[in-house]
């Protein structure tokens, strides 16, 4: 597999994470039908990368599309949305699909997304080749968003983070974890993390939600997440990090008080939804101490940011709530 996308920290930068100088890497009009492409997932695949992309069309119908890349930066996204076949269920109704995540577990790539079934809930599917896709039972009752699977079983069970919500743009949100023996039936729901008190860390005081697939490190599970503050100009989304206990990931060891990356560039502050940094995927290389995080910018484009894994972990420990 090719090395993960990377660009060295800019000279004179002290930031723990920094943006790719050629951001955004995927423009809103990268396929003929699209109004916007953002909040998308990327994984190593073959000698390059594959991805599942949120592409809202010009009627602003939300759907997910497969794409491929040799270098993780330049992408060829299919012009037609993913067509699902029945997996472990015959019920594969979807009024919409958005904000996908993708992870390899055991013998296949699993996809989760926000699925429209009488309101938003967590859809689950899988693929072996990113050409044929199979949809499974929804994980939870509506209303829920931000379903993020762990890349391996925990205590013999599949594990997923999520954020129970309401039917609209939720003015609240906690991160929960749930477990399943078979990717069909989910239970053992446990609270992981709540928004912070306003006076302690206002950027994440309204809601929090899991972002990319958690990364297992010597310090525990590194969870990149988004936090939201409700300002006089609407919601503002930024990116933080937390470390969860390895065998009990409902236990938070450390959690960033300052954000890692917040909306500051024009492509993050101006778009269909201004002031949004929304992480959905991460590539990592332990040997080279590299982390590349893909994020949606202003609900319009896909961008990427880089950091040293060891520095992100240390920053999380040194700047914890």
């Amino acid at each position: 597999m090719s090395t993960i996308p990377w660009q060295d920290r800019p000279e004179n930068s002290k930031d723990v994470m920094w943006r790719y100088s050629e951001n955004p890497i995927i423009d809103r009009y990268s396929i003929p039908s699209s109004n916007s492409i953002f909040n998308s997932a990327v994984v190593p695949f073959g000698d390059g990368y594959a991805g599942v992309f949120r592409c809202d069309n010009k009627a602003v119908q939300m759907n997910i599309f497969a794409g491929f890349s040799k270098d993780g930066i330049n992408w060829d996204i299919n012009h037609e949305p993913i067509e699902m076949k029945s997996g472990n269920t015959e019920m594969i109704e979807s009024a919409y699909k958005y904000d996908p995540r993708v992870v390899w577990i055991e013998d296949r790539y699993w996809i989760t997304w926000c699925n429209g079934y009488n309101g938003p809930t967590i859809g689950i599917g899988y693929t072996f080749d990113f050409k044929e896709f199979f949809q499974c039972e929804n994980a939870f009752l509506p209303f829920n968003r931000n379903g993020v699977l762990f890349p391996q079983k925990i205590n013999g069970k599949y594990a997923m983070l999520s954020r129970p919500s309401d039917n609209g743009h939720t003015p609240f949100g906690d991160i929960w974890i749930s477990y399943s023996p078979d990717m069909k039936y989910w239970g053992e729901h446990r609270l992981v993390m709540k928004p912070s008190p306003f006076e302690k860390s206002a950027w994440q005081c309204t809601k929090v939600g899991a972002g990319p697939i958690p990364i297992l490190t010597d310090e525990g599970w590194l969870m990149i997440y988004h936090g939201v503050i409700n300002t006089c100009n609407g919601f503002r989304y930024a990116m933080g990090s937390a470390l969860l206990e390895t065998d009990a990931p409902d236990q938070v060891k450390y959690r960033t008080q300052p954000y890692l990356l917040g909306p500051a560039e024009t492509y993050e502050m101006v778009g269909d939804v201004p002031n949004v940094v929304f992480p959905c995927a991460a590539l990592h290389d332990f040997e080279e101490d590299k982390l590349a995080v893909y994020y949606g910018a202003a609900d319009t484009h896909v961008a990427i940011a880089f950091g040293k894994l060891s520095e992100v972990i240390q920053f999380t420990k040194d700047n914890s709530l």
Side-chain angles (χ1 to χ4, degrees):
M1 191 200 80
S2 57
T3 184
I4 72 169
W6 185 255
Q7 187 176 66
D8 287 336
R9 180 187 275 111
E11 190 176 354
N12 300 322
S13 172
K14 303 287 187 189
D15 294 330
V16 68
M17 294 200 72
W18 57 94
R19 297 165 176 83
Y20 181 47
S21 63
E22 301 300 315
N23 273 344
I25 62 169
I26 300 175
D27 182 69
R28 68 186 305 166
Y29 300 129
S30 291
I31 63 175
S33 64
S34 64
N35 166 78
S36 50
I37 304 175
F38 59 106
N39 296 4
S40 301
V42 171
V43 289
F45 179 72
D47 61 354
Y49 302 90
V52 177
F53 296 86
R54 173 177 177 171
C55 303
D56 294 4
N57 67 18
K58 291 180 175 66
V60 195
Q61 294 172 300
M62 304 163 191
N63 217 327
I64 55 177
F65 293 63
F68 301 90
S69 174
K70 289 294 185 183
D71 60 6
I73 297 288
N74 299 285
W75 288 88
D76 181 15
I77 300 173
N78 293 347
H79 291 184
E80 297 297 326
I82 292 169
E83 291 288 339
M84 293 285 182
K85 300 179 179 179
S86 293
N88 65 14
T89 180
E90 295 300 316
M91 199 296 293
I92 61 171
E93 179 181 337
S94 291
Y96 47 77
K97 297 183 179 77
Y98 63 81
D99 295 358
R101 276 75 163 183
V102 180
V103 60
W104 172 266
I105 307 176
E106 295 176 337
D107 64 347
R108 68 194 69 188
Y109 298 93
W110 289 92
I111 305 113
T112 56
W113 65 88
C114 185
N115 191 49
Y117 179 70
N118 298 291
T121 186
I122 306 303
I124 304 178
Y126 62 86
T127 183
F128 298 98
D129 56 9
F130 290 91
K131 295 177 181 177
E132 191 174 35
F133 293 82
F134 300 87
Q135 188 168 336
C136 299
E137 279 286 339
N138 293 326
F140 309 119
L141 291 167
F143 308 115
N144 207 321
R145 293 179 173 86
N146 297 300
V148 180
L149 288 164
F150 283 76
Q152 65 190 52
K153 290 180 178 179
I154 297 174
N155 300 318
K157 297 175 184 176
Y158 298 102
M160 189 194 310
L161 300 165
S162 70
R163 191 191 72 201
S165 63
D166 63 21
N167 198 30
H169 291 284
T170 315
F172 62 88
D174 306 331
I175 298 175
W176 288 70
I177 191 169
S178 305
Y179 296 92
S180 172
D182 57 4
M183 282 288 195
K184 187 170 185 178
Y185 300 103
W186 293 84
E188 298 179 83
H189 314 293
R190 302 289 185 270
L191 178 66
V192 177
M193 200 166 84
K194 299 177 74 68
S196 71
F198 175 87
E199 65 276 11
K200 290 188 176 180
S201 185
W203 71 269
Q204 54 182 326
C205 69
T206 299
K207 50 186 173 179
V208 288
I213 304 304
I215 299 168
L216 184 58
T217 75
D218 291 340
E219 299 282 355
W221 292 102
L222 176 63
M223 179 184 71
I224 306 295
Y225 67 95
H226 66 261
V228 183
I229 179 175
N230 192 12
T231 75
C232 59
N233 196 39
F235 289 149
R236 178 185 185 272
Y237 285 71
M239 176 169 60
S241 58
L243 287 165
L244 312 179
E245 289 283 359
T246 300
D247 296 323
D250 59 316
Q251 302 298 312
V252 179
K253 297 172 65 177
Y254 304 98
R255 167 187 179 181
T256 49
Q257 183 178 35
Y259 57 75
L260 292 175
L261 197 75
E265 297 295 327
T266 300
Y267 56 85
E268 298 160 349
M269 297 188 296
V270 177
D272 281 2
V273 182
N275 301 318
V276 174
V277 167
F278 192 95
C280 271
L283 301 171
H284 64 278
D285 186 322
F286 283 114
E287 289 187 5
E288 297 189 3
D289 194 25
K290 293 178 178 178
L291 176 69
V293 177
Y294 293 81
Y295 64 95
D299 279 16
T300 304
H301 314 282
V302 175
I304 191 168
F306 305 108
K308 293 282 190 179
L309 262 172
S310 61
E311 292 180 3
V312 171
I313 291 168
Q314 195 61 49
F315 181 87
T316 307
K317 294 171 66 176
D318 292 344
N319 297 275
S320 184
L321 273 173

